[in-house]
Amino acid sequence: MKYRTEKRIITTPAGKLKLLVLTPHGWKPGDMRTGILWIHGGGYITGMAGMVHMSRAKNLVKKYGAVVVSPAYRLAGRAPYPAALEDCHAALSYLYEHAEELGVRRDQIMVGGESAGGGLAAGLCLYEKDIGGVKIAYQMPLYPMIDNEDTESSRDNHAPVWNTRRNHYGWKKYLAGLSGEVPCYAAAARRQDLSGLPPAYTFVTTAEPFYTETVAYFEKLRLAGVPAEIDIYPGLYHAFDMLTPWRRASRLAAARFEAHFLEAKEKYFTT
């Protein structure tokens, strides 16, 4: 199935925000599809909304008819936390408020993203729950950047793509200006009580910095009674699925991700 991409500019309290909206061809008024806010990665310091075209979310539009919204959130070099979270909240609110126009069912809005985008997805789920905002049916924070403190896998990590040095720099920029306790909406690992959050799926590899924090977060979700599934791929580097999509492990990761999405599509709705 082909899809089309539309650029929309919305007005937020902080100014203008660009959204990319991916919709499948053949959509007709009255069709109600799964809506997904997909948040790009880049360590909070780089990246762009257009990365959605090389992300896992693209196939959810092409193969399964989902509608995906990708926000061009403010990067930490321009505006540190909470700017990116505020932009993602604005984009999610737009998706919800314009659901009928976009052909999206309001009871099945999902959020996801890779790396820092996964971190923002996790933080956004916490934020929306706490403020009584948009109800999220399912979350897909892939190899998320959620712990600003060193862990067993992020400490002294020299892997390609993302490592300890880059991780420290990304967090320094993102948390610039904060003093005292780091909010869980900035670093979801800081949250102790994860009860009441949307069901979740992720995958991660053992060699990357985010391995330990991802496994710990998903274990904490399960202990809180949240359905949470994780796939682990041994020895590969960060974002392997996007950077080397032809690899056997990447194809397997994509297939497993899509299978979990299809299961969630049949199973999870908000009330």
Side-chain angles (χ1 to χ4, degrees), residues 194-214:
L194 300 183
S195 59
L197 287 172
Y201 171 73
T202 192
F203 63 85
V204 69
T205 175
T206 59
E208 72 160 286
F210 303 149
Y211 170 66
T212 299
E213 62 207 69
T214 302

Side-chain angles (χ1 to χ4, degrees), residues 33-36 38 60 64 66 105 107-111 136-141 198-202 227-229 255-270:
R33 304 173 182 272
T34 303
I36 304 169
W38 197 262
L60 303 186
Y64 308 113
R105 50 185 307 165
D107 63 350
Q108 196 172 63
I109 292 177
M110 305 180 180
V111 300
I136 298 168
Y138 194 63
Q139 58 174 315
M140 300 169 282
Y201 171 73
T202 192
E229 299 290 334
R256 292 282 298 162
F257 168 79
E258 291 172 20
H260 278 278
F261 166 76
L262 286 175
E263 181 181 3
K265 187 172 180 286
E266 296 300 317
K267 191 173 181 180
Y268 297 120
F269 303 86
T270 59

Side-chain angles (χ1 to χ4, degrees), residues 201-257:
Y201 171 73
T202 192
F203 63 85
V204 69
T205 175
T206 59
E208 72 160 286
F210 303 149
Y211 170 66
T212 299
E213 62 207 69
T214 302
V215 171
Y217 194 74
F218 269 68
E219 178 62 22
K220 200 185 298 184
L221 282 167
R222 287 192 289 263
L223 289 173
V226 178
E229 299 290 334
I230 182 171
D231 286 326
I232 298 171
Y233 297 91
L236 297 171
Y237 48 78
H238 183 67
F240 71 96
D241 62 307
M242 295 177 68
L243 298 173
T244 55
W246 57 87
R247 298 181 69 144
R248 182 176 179 274
S250 300
R251 296 197 303 271
L252 176 60
R256 292 282 298 162
F257 168 79

Side-chain angles (χ1 to χ4, degrees), residues 15-239:
K16 302 294 186 181
L17 174 65
K18 183 180 80 171
L19 307 177
L20 295 183
V21 181
L22 280 58
T23 53
H25 278 308
W27 176 83
K28 302 182 295 297
D31 289 348
M32 292 291 109
R33 304 173 182 272
T34 303
I36 304 169
L37 182 75
W38 197 262
I39 310 168
H40 74 77
Y44 301 112
I45 53 176
T46 188
M48 63 190 75
M51 289 168 63
V52 68
H53 295 296
M54 59 183 290
S55 76
R56 294 272 62 82
K58 178 182 70 174
N59 275 354
L60 303 186
V61 184
K62 289 180 63 176
K63 296 170 69 172
Y64 308 113
V67 174
V68 168
V69 173
S70 176
Y73 61 85
R74 286 168 288 169
L75 301 176
R78 169 187 167 196
Y81 174 85
L85 181 74
E86 292 172 347
D87 289 347
C88 291
H89 167 69
L92 181 66
S93 299
Y94 181 88
L95 174 57
Y96 179 82
E97 291 162 5
H98 292 78
E100 185 173 354
E101 172 197 346
L102 294 169
V104 166
R105 50 185 307 165
R106 283 193 173 92
D107 63 350
Q108 196 172 63
I109 292 177
M110 305 180 180
V111 300
E114 297 98 351
S115 191
L120 283 163
L124 188 62
C125 286
L126 291 167
Y127 182 73
E128 299 296 332
K129 172 183 175 292
D130 289 351
I131 68 169
V134 175
K135 292 184 177 180
I136 298 168
Y138 194 63
Q139 58 174 315
M140 300 169 282
L142 305 184
Y143 37 88
M145 185 175 175
I146 54 176
D147 200 335
N148 62 300
E149 298 178 359
D150 281 345
T151 68
E152 183 179 348
S153 61
S154 67
R155 183 186 301 109
D156 196 28
N157 187 298
H158 304 283
V161 183
W162 200 254
N163 51 44
T164 301
R165 179 179 60 82
R166 290 175 178 169
N167 202 43
H168 286 174
Y169 181 75
W171 280 114
K172 179 181 178 181
K173 287 289 190 180
Y174 188 51
L175 302 179
L178 283 180
S179 59
E181 186 175 345
V182 172
C184 65
Y185 312 126
R190 303 280 68 80
R191 179 72 161 245
Q192 295 307 310
D193 180 13
L194 300 183
S195 59
L197 287 172
Y201 171 73
T202 192
F203 63 85
V204 69
T205 175
T206 59
E208 72 160 286
F210 303 149
Y211 170 66
T212 299
E213 62 207 69
T214 302
V215 171
Y217 194 74
F218 269 68
E219 178 62 22
K220 200 185 298 184
L221 282 167
R222 287 192 289 263
L223 289 173
V226 178
E229 299 290 334
I230 182 171
D231 286 326
I232 298 171
Y233 297 91
L236 297 171
Y237 48 78
H238 183 67

